[in-house]
Amino acid sequence: MSAQAPVKRVTVPQIMQAKGATPLVALTAYTAPMAALVDAHADIILVGDSLGMVVHGMTSTVGVTLEMMILHGKAVMRGSQRAMVVIDMPFGSYEESPEQAFRNAARVMAETGCGAVKLEGGSRMAPTIRFLVDRGIPVMAHVGLTPQSTNVMGGFKTQGRDQSSWPAHLTDARAVAEAGAFSVVVEGVMEALADRMTETVVIPTIGIGASARCDGQILVLDDMLGLSGRVPRFVRKFGDLGSRADEAIADYAAAVRDRSFPAEAQVYR
Ligand code: KIV
């Protein structure tokens, strides 16, 4: 009996080599079946802390815990074979000190087997990113609109509308790249600022609400499938599964009520 060689997952060097070459495809997933669907097409699956809002009905990502990320991270690892799985560090699990970040990131990596972690913040998080990378933890950074800081930012606001803020945003992008992050999510920034970031940093930029010229794109899966309610302007609905699911559930309810379900094919005689 010959053992089947496991499929090799996308690696950090492969992601880095994509800079300026092939656009990187990234999507979120939070469960094993969705991860299996995404795995067939994406380079990166992000277990985003957006799961707090998308799956758990929270009003922000602030209440998401490390345990939730690990639970969903394990499910996504089980459902996928090829894509690199990146798991978000939730609010409060890494900001206190590089040591706290290492302790929690190491737990996420060890318990899930994921390929990397993501954390939010630019220059202020650079020493933490350096600390993690030097100790063997690949880090995807996240700059621009950082949802864990919306209480400070005053909401989900597009960044860089005022050009005087651009130097600070560019410094953030440079700082995370120089600290050793292997890629950086650029969220909710003006297109021209995203382009400047992509030109400035040596690592791939992965845009969301940013620019088509980023080195890759990411969307929240449920948003692009039409499973979420109101979505931001930058989301394109590539499917309308919400309406399809609504129709199917209505059909089921009607069939139960008029006793046409279960029919002959669905019962054991
Ligand atoms: O939590 C998340 O899903 C994210 C993406 C939107 C980039 O951080």
Side-chain angles (χ1 to χ4, degrees):
M1 200 173 73
S2 65
Q4 283 234 306
V7 180
K8 283 214 172 72
R9 285 194 185 266
V10 174
T11 63
V12 164
Q14 285 170 335
I15 299 291
M16 295 182 80
Q17 278 155 19
K19 171 93 190 167
T22 326
L24 289 162
V25 177
L27 275 171
T28 63
Y30 317 121
T31 63
M34 286 302 189
L37 288 173
V38 173
D39 194 49
H41 304 281
D43 305 301
I44 299 171
I45 303 178
L46 173 69
V47 186
D49 63 352
S50 51
L51 64 83
M53 300 167 79
V54 177
V55 177
H56 295 272
M58 296 174 162
T59 52
S60 81
T61 57
V62 170
V64 175
T65 65
L66 202 61
E67 284 65 32
M68 289 163 75
M69 298 310 301
I70 290 173
L71 189 71
H72 286 279
K74 283 180 180 169
V76 167
M77 284 298 291
R78 283 186 215 112
S80 62
Q81 307 184 62
R82 200 195 62 83
M84 171 186 280
V85 173
V86 180
I87 300 186
D88 251 341
M89 297 298 292
F91 178 69
S93 71
Y94 63 94
E95 302 89 333
E96 198 176 312
S97 65
E99 288 78 6
Q100 181 214 23
F102 178 76
R103 203 165 43 249
N104 288 327
R107 196 178 146 205
V108 169
M109 301 274 303
E111 291 187 28
T112 65
C114 71
V117 297
K118 175 165 85 58
L119 51 82
E120 296 183 6
S123 308
R124 73 186 164 87
M125 291 315 299
T128 297
I129 294 172
R130 170 55 57 206
F131 194 86
L132 297 188
V133 174
D134 282 351
R135 285 157 184 77
I137 298 184
V139 178
M140 175 184 279
H142 185 154
V143 299
L145 195 171
T146 46
Q148 292 175 8
S149 308
T150 49
N151 284 327
V152 175
M153 288 176 164
F156 289 82
K157 295 210 168 110
T158 306
Q159 301 295 297
R161 283 191 187 280
D162 177 355
Q163 225 168 316
S164 67
S165 70
W166 285 23
H169 286 297
L170 289 167
T171 301
D172 277 344
R174 256 194 305 265
V176 297
E178 282 163 11
F182 70 94
S183 59
V184 56
V185 168
V186 175
E187 178 167 357
V189 304
M190 300 299 282
E191 184 186 42
L193 173 57
D195 290 345
R196 288 276 281 277
M197 286 183 180
T198 300
E199 287 156 16
T200 303
V201 298
V202 294
I203 56 173
T205 55
I206 301 180
I208 173 163
S211 166
R213 283 173 293 277
C214 285
D215 299 297
Q217 302 293 329
I218 186 163
L219 282 177
V220 169
L221 182 66
D222 298 59
D223 291 350
M224 60 84 92
L225 290 180
L227 285 168
S228 315
R230 202 170 147 262
V231 290
R233 174 185 127 89
F234 61 75
V235 174
R236 184 189 296 173
K237 283 196 186 178
F238 287 84
D240 192 7
L241 301 199
S243 313
R244 302 280 292 275
D246 184 59
E247 281 165 25
I249 295 163
D251 286 352
Y252 165 74
V256 169
R257 291 190 178 115
D258 69 14
R259 297 197 187 279
S260 62
F261 176 83
E264 198 175 333
Q266 290 101 34
V267 295
Y268 301 95
R269 288 204 175 135

